[in-house]
Amino acid sequence: MAAGSCLLLLLLTSLVTASHSPPGCKIRITSKGLDLVKQEGLRFVEQELQNITVSDLHGNEGQFQYNISQVKVTDLQLAFSDLNFQPQQHLVFNINNASISLRFRRQLLYWFFYDIGSINASADGVHIYTVLQLAKDEAGRLKISNMTCNASIARMHAGFSGTLRKVYEFLSTFIVTGMRFLLSQQICPSLEHASLVLLNSLLDTVPVRNYVDEHIGIDYSLLRDPSVSTDTLDLDFKGMFFPRVREDQELENHAVEPVIKETERMVYVAFSEYFFDSAMHSYFQAGVLTIELQGEKVPKDLEVLLRATFFGTIFMLSPSVDAPLRLVLQVSAPPRCIIKPSGTSVSVSAFLNISLVPPDRPPVQLSSMAMETKLSAKVFLQGKALRVQLDLRRFRIYSKQSALESLALFSLQAPLKTLLQLTIMPIINERTKKGVQIPLPEGMDFTREVVTNHAGFLTVGADLHFSKGLREVIEKYRPVPTAAAYPSSQPVEPSLDPSLL
């Protein structure tokens, strides 16, 4: 019985651990960031509400027959609005005391009198309360999973003119009441379509699993649903690179989980050592951490020194000592990233093989030495690309054959370090120059970035700005409409023939 209980406890522990695997990348959006989103979102909501369509309104009262059609929104005033975080519900968008101006076409038949024209109306005291629930979908992408909406109009009035103005004023109660009902019924379906269809198409632009270059890709899938407090929204991403030759490869995360405590900036992005380790591990698995220099690519000063060092070996070779040299630098194990409050460094172990390459003959290896280097890493953000600039900090070589040869190689220490700094490091930094994209929607970029190191992870605090408007990006990726995509009915062109009223 005790053994069964222990087994059950271990099983439950493993399930909890699996469900809360640490993220390699974490993003926090603060209330300041939400204020910026509100400003851009409000413009988008205004545009959506201006495009709402209202069904024709027709009826009769005694000998009066009327038809209201071609309803158009001419102006909106949404001055009193709030967008807030709310735990368990995620985002609440609230509009109070808004006003909507309308213009529509009128047709009236009273006995033998027929009147046609337009009417200006205004809906005041408009209240819209919307709750957006955010969740991780099956692909690990952030989506608006559900929306609840409640809209009401406190009062509505219309201005009438023309020969039958008195008649319209008599019928205004019926017309205004009907228009108020129809308009309030169209607000929530319009916002529901804007959220669940259009805004989700914007979230589709966030990279989830894509290729970085011809060798590796990155997995930015969400590990779990967003965590929301009254001031912040936190997103935990897998943040794992993978080699394209083995896309299903998983690297277990043993790194420290990033912890973001700051709230001063609009957004914070945290990267653990696992994020960088998986990138270097993927490059290693892809077999691209090898650099070869031969012939004229070997610096002349270094070549002279190498020939002097291995002169005895070269002299005994046939053909002559004029055969070109070849240097092959190959990383022997996946490099490791170490992040401390004092800075970020990368430890690299490699082999340097020095060979002579006579024409039309097999290469002759002169030496195979081990190298241990420590690189300092400057991590910075440019636009939405995270980039790393590497610089050689420490360097040591030794022979794998004997301590005596290691002593003989001591004179090569400084020249080889210079070779790495002047020849190898520029090649490596050119490869990392492109960087990797941070998972933000298209049209949104970082500004005023500040990088802060912690024990086991680093954070990038930044502000946000919209390089493209929501409407511009959504129109670019707007899904193909279907019959059920938008519930509003299209206006029917009314007839000018009074007999059809």
Side-chain angles (χ1 to χ4, degrees), residues 70-84:
Q70 298 181 4
V71 181
K72 301 290 184 183
V73 176
T74 59
D75 186 46
L76 290 101
Q77 298 294 330
L78 308 179
F80 304 100
S81 62
D82 289 305
L83 180 64
N84 299 308

Side-chain angles (χ1 to χ4, degrees), residues 270-475:
F271 304 94
S272 74
E273 293 174 343
Y274 172 80
F275 180 87
F276 301 99
D277 283 347
S278 67
M280 294 181 289
H281 186 273
S282 297
Y283 275 123
F284 181 79
Q285 291 292 322
V288 296
L289 297 184
T290 301
I291 297 176
E292 180 177 319
L293 301 176
Q294 181 173 324
E296 295 181 354
K297 293 184 179 181
V298 180
K300 197 65 180 177
D301 294 344
L302 179 63
E303 181 181 1
V304 171
L305 183 61
L306 289 174
R307 288 182 181 276
T309 303
F310 300 105
F311 182 80
T313 306
I314 296 174
F315 185 76
M316 299 299 294
L317 296 174
S318 179
S320 69
V321 294
D322 290 333
L325 287 174
R326 180 172 66 188
L327 278 64
V328 179
L329 179 63
Q330 183 175 7
V331 174
S332 56
R336 293 297 306 273
C337 175
I338 302 171
I339 303 177
K340 297 180 179 180
S342 57
T344 302
S345 62
V346 178
S347 297
V348 184
S349 297
F351 295 133
L352 178 62
N353 295 320
I354 303 175
S355 304
L356 198 67
V357 189
D360 303 323
R361 293 178 65 87
V364 179
Q365 182 169 301
L366 302 180
S367 180
S368 179
M369 60 188 75
M371 299 175 53
E372 291 182 358
T373 62
K374 180 165 284 190
L375 310 175
S376 62
K378 178 184 177 183
V379 181
F380 61 97
L381 207 59
Q382 189 169 3
K384 279 190 293 191
L386 183 73
R387 300 182 178 180
V388 179
Q389 182 79 21
L390 297 171
D391 190 24
L392 184 60
R393 182 191 298 177
R394 274 190 255 163
F395 172 77
R396 185 173 76 93
I397 59 172
Y398 57 93
S399 173
K400 297 186 296 180
Q401 278 76 32
S402 67
L404 183 61
E405 187 176 3
S406 295
L407 184 62
L409 294 175
F410 184 77
S411 61
L412 295 177
Q413 186 91 11
L416 286 177
K417 184 175 182 181
T418 302
L419 170 71
L420 289 175
Q421 289 175 325
L422 299 181
T423 306
I424 307 300
M425 294 309 300
I427 297 175
I428 296 174
N429 283 323
E430 184 63 29
R431 291 182 178 178
T432 62
K433 184 177 180 181
K434 181 181 177 182
V436 60
Q437 185 178 354
I438 304 302
L440 278 183
E442 183 176 334
M444 187 178 292
D445 292 318
F446 295 106
T447 61
R448 300 175 61 238
E449 307 90 348
V450 176
V451 178
T452 305
N453 280 47
H454 305 272
F457 66 95
L458 59 84
T459 60
V460 182
D463 289 336
L464 296 169
H465 84 282
F466 285 90
S467 57
K468 297 179 182 178
L470 288 178
R471 174 64 56 185
E472 180 182 354
V473 178
I474 286 173
E475 288 298 330

Side-chain angles (χ1 to χ4, degrees), residues 16-164:
V16 171
T17 304
S19 64
H20 196 79
S21 55
C25 172
K26 190 168 190 170
I27 291 183
R28 163 169 290 183
I29 300 174
T30 67
S31 296
K32 292 182 180 179
L34 196 62
D35 288 340
L36 179 68
V37 174
K38 186 190 80 170
Q39 296 173 17
E40 185 64 27
L42 195 58
R43 284 192 289 270
F44 175 68
V45 168
E46 289 176 349
Q47 293 167 348
E48 285 300 303
L49 293 180
Q50 285 176 343
N51 293 327
I52 63 176
T53 56
V54 180
S55 303
D56 294 353
L57 177 66
H58 55 83
N60 60 81
E61 290 295 326
Q63 301 300 321
F64 295 102
Q65 299 181 54
Y66 59 89
N67 186 24
I68 301 299
S69 60
Q70 298 181 4
V71 181
K72 301 290 184 183
V73 176
T74 59
D75 186 46
L76 290 101
Q77 298 294 330
L78 308 179
F80 304 100
S81 62
D82 289 305
L83 180 64
N84 299 308
F85 294 121
Q86 190 171 103
Q88 306 304 321
Q89 295 180 313
H90 300 160
L91 289 179
V92 174
F93 186 53
N94 192 20
I95 297 176
N96 282 310
N97 201 26
S99 63
I100 304 176
S101 298
L102 305 170
R103 185 177 180 85
F104 48 88
R105 190 170 181 266
R106 72 175 188 267
Q107 289 176 291
L108 175 66
L109 180 64
Y110 175 62
W111 291 100
F112 300 106
F113 297 97
Y114 176 67
D115 183 52
I116 187 172
S118 61
I119 300 176
N120 293 321
S122 176
D124 298 321
V126 179
H127 176 67
I128 305 172
Y129 184 81
T130 305
V131 177
L132 302 177
Q133 293 184 344
L134 304 177
K136 175 182 75 73
D137 68 4
E138 293 181 357
R141 190 185 301 274
L142 178 67
K143 283 297 181 72
I144 300 173
S145 60
N146 192 25
M147 172 191 167
T148 57
C149 176
N150 184 21
S152 62
I153 299 175
R155 54 195 175 277
M156 188 167 184
H157 58 84
F160 301 96
S161 61
T163 57
L164 299 179

